[in-house]
């Protein structure tokens, strides 16, 4: 009875469609996450903003908010959390001199104040250096694994999209970059959708783990209780087993090594 259920399960058209689809999608993602996890140096960041008020002058005409003799109609507080997520220490000499870690505002917006709000290792010697108006340079002596800090930026933009973060760490592929999105409105809505973010970042590895586990269990059962279908399609079943075993191991590795905010900043 159980053997028939397992065989019917594997031969079901919807199951074949789903397993084929997730195999096609899962392999590239598995390779991506695998090679991504091989990086020895990794500097991660999270950005959150809280808009205090917007278009203040139009709301209360006879009341003005000023800062250094400038009228402020919009005020936002953006907090930037940065931490070393790799196993190798990042030193100040690892920051490219031609592309240092820079925080600046979008053209037409002003940074009223920028400061180091908190850190979890005082010996990192983290400082902010004001290069010119609306441009600040992030300096540190070193960052060990899970060493991090929070920068608070008070500015006249509407959100974190008005704050630009750039920089290059030697030994890391690509650059650290957070700037105003240039995607289409439709793509922005998709990327801002909480369900899409949860599924793509958090849910998908678990789904791959569950499906691959079911497929491996079904294969082991058919291997133990060989039937006619298994003997006729032995190569296919063996190939699927190898594929799903790889997906299983990759999903486990991904879940174990996914980006984790240091425990001192869990409330960020």
């Amino acid at each position: 009875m159980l053997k028939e259920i397992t065989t019917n399960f594997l031969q079901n058209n919807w199951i074949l469609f789903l397993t084929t689809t997730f195999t096609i999608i899962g392999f590239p993602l598995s390779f991506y996450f695998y090679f991504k996890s091989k990086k020895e140096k990794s500097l991660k960041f999270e950005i959150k903003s809280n808009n205090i008020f917007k278009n203040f002058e139009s709301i209360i005409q006879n009341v003005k908010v000023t800062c250094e003799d400038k009228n402020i109609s919009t005020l936002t507080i953006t907090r930037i959390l940065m931490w070393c997520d790799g196993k190798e220490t990042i030193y100040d000499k690892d920051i490219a001199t031609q592309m240092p870690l820079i925080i600046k505002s979008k053209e037409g917006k002003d940074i009223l104040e920028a400061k180091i709000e908190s850190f979890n290792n005082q010996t990192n010697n983290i400082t902010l250096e004001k290069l010119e108006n609306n441009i600040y340079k992030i300096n540190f002596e070193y960052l060990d694994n899970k060493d991090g800090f929070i920068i608070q930026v008070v500015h006249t933009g509407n959100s974190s999209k008005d704050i630009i973060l750039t920089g290059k760490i030697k030994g890391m592929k690509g650059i650290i970059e957070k700037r105003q999105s240039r995607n289409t409105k439709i793509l922005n809505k998709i990327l801002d959708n909480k369900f899409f973010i949860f599924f793509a970042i958090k849910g998908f590895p678990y789904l791959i783990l569950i499906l691959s586990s079911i497929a491996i269990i079904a294969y082991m059962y058919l291997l133990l209780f060989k039937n006619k279908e298994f003997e006729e399609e032995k190569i296919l079943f063996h190939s699927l087993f190898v594929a799903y075993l790889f997906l299983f191991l990759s999903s486990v590795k991904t879940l174990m090594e996914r980006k984790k905010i240091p425990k001192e900043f869990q409330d960020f």
Side-chain angles (χ1 to χ4, degrees):
M1 181 66 179
L2 183 58
K3 182 167 63 178
E4 291 180 2
I5 294 174
T6 305
T7 303
N8 292 332
F9 173 81
L10 291 175
Q11 291 179 341
N12 183 278
N13 290 333
W14 278 105
I15 296 299
L16 289 174
F17 171 76
L18 289 174
T19 54
T20 302
T21 301
F22 282 109
T23 300
I24 294 173
I25 297 175
F27 266 116
L29 285 178
S30 298
F31 277 112
Y32 169 75
F33 285 120
Y34 175 76
F35 286 109
K36 186 177 180 180
S37 67
K38 297 294 287 183
K39 293 179 180 178
E40 296 180 343
K41 294 179 183 178
S42 181
L43 185 63
K44 303 290 187 181
F45 67 89
E46 294 279 353
I47 297 181
K48 293 184 179 180
S49 288
N50 182 24
N51 180 252
I52 307 303
F53 56 79
K54 186 184 297 185
N55 300 322
F56 186 81
E57 292 178 344
S58 63
I59 299 174
I60 307 178
Q61 296 182 356
N62 296 326
V63 178
K64 294 183 179 180
V65 177
T66 62
C67 179
E68 296 181 352
D69 298 327
K70 293 182 180 179
N71 291 336
I72 307 299
S73 61
T74 300
L75 186 68
T76 299
I77 297 177
T78 295
R79 300 169 73 233
I80 304 172
L81 167 62
M82 300 190 74
W83 76 96
C84 176
D85 196 50
K87 296 181 179 179
E88 186 172 336
T89 301
I90 300 175
Y91 296 96
D92 53 356
K93 63 182 181 181
D94 294 323
I95 303 175
T97 55
Q98 296 298 315
M99 190 175 288
L101 294 176
I102 294 294
I103 298 174
K104 62 181 179 179
S105 60
K106 177 186 171 185
E107 186 176 353
K109 308 297 181 180
D110 293 320
I111 294 179
L112 305 178
E113 181 186 73
K115 66 178 182 179
I116 305 296
E117 181 183 287
S118 62
F119 46 82
N120 62 0
N121 187 347
Q122 186 174 1
T123 62
N124 294 149
N125 193 25
I126 302 158
T127 60
L128 269 183
E129 177 185 354
K130 186 174 182 179
L131 301 182
E132 54 184 276
N133 287 338
N134 305 319
I135 300 179
Y136 289 80
K137 179 184 175 184
I138 304 172
N139 299 310
F140 55 78
E141 186 175 336
Y142 73 97
L143 292 176
D144 280 332
N145 181 251
K146 300 307 177 184
D147 284 349
F149 54 92
I150 296 176
I151 297 175
Q152 177 179 284
V153 182
V154 181
H155 58 96
T156 60
N158 294 317
S159 67
S160 60
K161 292 181 179 180
D162 293 311
I163 294 297
I164 298 172
L165 173 65
T166 61
K168 170 65 178 176
I169 302 296
K170 300 172 186 176
M172 283 182 58
K173 186 177 179 181
I175 63 175
I176 296 171
E177 185 175 33
K178 165 64 180 73
R179 59 174 67 248
Q180 183 188 19
S181 175
R182 295 182 180 179
N183 298 324
T184 62
K185 291 182 179 180
I186 296 177
L187 184 58
N188 275 333
K189 289 182 179 180
I190 294 175
L191 295 176
D192 290 337
N193 185 278
K194 292 183 179 180
F195 175 78
F196 175 82
I197 293 173
F198 175 83
F199 177 77
I201 297 177
K202 296 183 178 180
F204 188 78
Y206 285 106
L207 186 58
I208 289 293
L209 181 64
I210 293 171
L211 287 176
S212 59
S213 298
I214 293 174
I216 291 172
I217 292 172
Y219 169 84
M220 297 301 294
Y221 179 81
L222 290 176
L223 184 65
L224 185 62
F225 302 98
K226 294 183 179 180
N227 58 14
K228 183 178 178 180
E229 290 82 0
F230 184 85
E231 291 297 328
E232 291 177 351
E233 302 292 341
K234 184 181 295 185
I235 296 178
L236 175 61
F237 280 111
H238 288 337
S239 300
L240 286 175
F241 169 73
V242 173
Y244 280 104
L245 180 61
F246 176 80
L247 288 175
F248 174 81
L249 295 175
S250 298
S251 60
V252 170
K253 184 178 178 63
T254 298
L255 291 171
M256 291 180 63
E257 296 187 357
R258 85 175 6 167
K259 182 174 64 174
K260 293 182 180 179
I261 294 177
K263 60 181 181 179
E264 295 89 350
F265 305 115
Q266 290 298 320
D267 296 330
F268 176 76

